[in-house]
Amino acid sequence: MKVIVATKNQGKIEGAKRALNYYFKDIEIEGIAVNSDVGEQPVNDEIYIGAKNRVKNLKEYCKQNNIKADLYLSIESGITNSLGRWMITNIAVVEDNNEFESYGTSPSFPVPDRLVNDVINTNLSEVMNNMFTKDDDRHNKGGGIQLLTHEKITRIDLTESAFVMALTKYINGKIWR
């Protein structure tokens, strides 16, 4: 099975690979960076829109470059208050060649009220850089979430969870469609 992920980020590719390996054999996965066509820090609906746009742009790139795949994946991280509290979440989108789409979210984590405007006006990465010293290795595969959870959850784990949720329509066949 050939899978293209809309990123060059190795942690996100690894998270996608882990999720796919639960359900499929002989996976060939490739990362290709494409734009989300939303702001650097997606807010609320922009998170899904950005993930969906990445799949659309990925499929267009593949078509223009004669790259064939069975599934196209993307993930977008952003800040949302859709449940009444501000939190960071990831939304994954999976689409096949018949434009059948599924989506899922990762576990989310709260953003302190005092930091919400900073995250919205800059981005989570910049806020995290200001919160932690340079000695904190935030730029490894674990990401900022690894620091916030005291090394219990990594960026790869969040990505894996979002893609597992997004694959539910595919792995449950007709009963879920």
Side-chain angles (χ1 to χ4, degrees):
M1 170 184 279
K2 174 77 176 202
V3 177
I4 309 287
V5 183
T7 187
K8 284 286 196 182
N9 180 298
Q10 291 303 308
K12 291 178 181 179
I13 292 169
E14 179 62 26
K17 184 186 292 184
R18 286 185 189 178
L20 290 161
N21 279 330
Y22 288 129
Y23 308 109
F24 305 103
K25 294 186 185 317
D26 302 320
I27 299 163
E28 178 187 344
I29 191 166
E30 179 181 354
I32 298 173
V34 295
N35 289 326
S36 68
D37 301 328
V38 297
E40 186 178 342
Q41 182 58 73
V43 179
N44 290 323
D45 291 349
E46 292 174 340
I47 307 166
Y48 168 76
I49 292 167
K52 178 68 175 163
N53 287 346
R54 285 187 195 277
V55 166
K56 178 186 73 145
N57 292 337
L58 180 63
K59 289 176 90 171
E60 184 61 33
Y61 176 91
C62 289
K63 181 178 178 182
Q64 291 174 357
N65 291 279
N66 200 31
I67 299 170
K68 306 277 188 221
D70 299 298
L71 291 177
Y72 303 86
L73 283 63
S74 70
I75 191 159
E76 193 74 27
S77 179
I79 186 169
T80 183
N81 68 346
S82 62
L83 298 175
R85 297 284 186 257
W86 286 103
M87 61 186 74
I88 301 296
T89 196
N90 295 278
I91 298 180
V93 172
V94 177
E95 194 172 296
D96 64 17
N97 288 305
N98 298 318
E99 298 186 25
F100 180 73
E101 176 200 286
S102 187
Y103 52 88
T105 63
S106 69
S108 303
F109 58 92
V111 177
D113 291 339
R114 68 182 177 80
L115 298 176
V116 169
N117 286 333
D118 292 342
V119 171
I120 291 172
N121 293 324
T122 59
N123 60 58
L124 179 64
S125 182
E126 192 168 318
V127 171
M128 294 290 291
N129 284 339
N130 291 332
M131 288 173 51
F132 294 98
T133 67
K134 296 289 183 204
D135 293 335
D136 295 319
D137 186 16
R138 199 181 77 67
H139 299 287
N140 65 13
K141 287 184 183 179
I145 191 61
Q146 186 169 355
L147 291 173
L148 291 173
T149 63
H150 296 211
E151 300 187 12
K152 301 298 182 220
I153 304 289
T154 68
R155 176 188 307 138
I156 294 170
D157 298 329
L158 292 179
T159 302
E160 175 185 351
S161 294
F163 280 121
V164 167
M165 297 298 106
L167 287 166
T168 58
K169 283 185 178 180
Y170 288 92
I171 63 174
N172 288 293
K174 293 180 183 179
I175 65 166
W176 198 245
R177 292 181 193 199

